[in-house]
Amino acid sequence: MSLIAKLVAGAAFALATAAQAVIPVYPTPGVEDPVLYTFTAASSGNLTAYFAGSGASYDETLGLLINGIDTGITGLENHTTPRGTALSFGNVTAGDALTFLINVQTTGDTFYSQKSRNSDGANHVYSAPYAGGDYGIPAGTYVGFEDLPKGGSDFNYSDEQFVFTNVGTTVPEPGAWALMLGGFGVVGAALRRRVSSVVVAA
């Protein structure tokens, strides 16, 4: 491999690495997370969760309660879902209480992000802000679940990992893009004509 090819390959690797934000990691594995989290919708709109990974041997899926009511929407199965896959939980209203849950199919357990709902009385989540970047996952709130009950838990909080965004970003349809670009072109042409007429008048 030539020196130029090596430099290009190295630069490409450095750019790819720099583009990846770091998924948060629970800092003290083996110890139950002492921090309790309350998740609420900061504004109204679509609530989307993005799968960020799993270190679990058990099979599990993610679900959500909104104001204590189960949405009935589950997904992001931890062994078959590619990282970066999005799951929409539908619309929420600003101030709604959000309680995430994992259904552990292997054991039949269900654990919640709200400690008081867990039958073993343990905190089953770790959460941190997430800057965005890994696997195309946007900035949001990272949550990592623990899928083992207290007493036999390793408390690594990496069994079902996801990032949720409070309000989904609306992506314009191709037709809307065409209209917007056309509009920008008209505005640009009008400004150019105005500038040239000013120059001529001067």
Side-chain angles (χ1 to χ4, degrees):
M1 185 184 263
S2 72
L3 178 60
I4 292 175
K6 286 180 183 177
L7 289 172
V8 169
F13 176 76
L15 286 172
T17 304
Q20 297 289 309
V22 178
I23 293 286
V25 175
Y26 180 58
T28 52
V31 178
E32 182 180 350
D33 186 2
V35 180
L36 301 182
Y37 308 94
T38 301
F39 301 113
T40 56
S43 54
S44 300
N46 186 50
L47 179 76
T48 303
Y50 295 84
F51 185 66
S54 175
S57 56
Y58 292 164
D59 295 329
E60 51 215 53
T61 57
L62 180 68
L64 175 69
L65 308 178
I66 299 176
N67 298 322
I69 299 169
D70 196 328
T71 62
I73 299 170
T74 59
L76 305 183
E77 200 283 331
N78 66 318
H79 288 139
T80 59
T81 304
R83 291 179 184 186
T85 300
L87 171 65
S88 173
F89 283 110
N91 287 330
V92 294
T93 302
D96 280 349
L98 310 174
T99 305
F100 295 97
L101 63 102
I102 53 168
N103 294 307
V104 187
Q105 287 96 353
T106 308
T107 62
D109 289 320
T110 299
F111 296 116
Y112 299 86
S113 60
Q114 185 180 347
K115 181 178 178 177
S116 62
R117 288 183 173 270
N118 293 325
S119 58
D120 64 353
N123 181 10
H124 280 266
V125 294
Y126 166 70
S127 182
Y130 173 67
D134 295 279
Y135 311 100
I137 300 171
T141 302
Y142 167 86
V143 179
F145 262 95
E146 174 55 54
D147 67 0
L148 294 172
K150 190 172 187 173
S153 181
D154 55 10
F155 288 122
N156 61 11
Y157 296 97
S158 65
D159 301 316
E160 176 82 25
Q161 302 171 66
F162 65 96
V163 173
F164 74 91
T165 55
N166 233 15
V167 180
T169 302
T170 304
V171 179
E173 296 293 325
W177 275 113
L179 284 172
M180 285 187 342
L181 291 173
F184 290 143
V186 168
V187 170
L191 286 173
R192 218 179 1 241
R193 224 173 301 151
R194 184 175 173 194
V195 168
S196 60
S197 67
V198 170
V199 170
V200 169

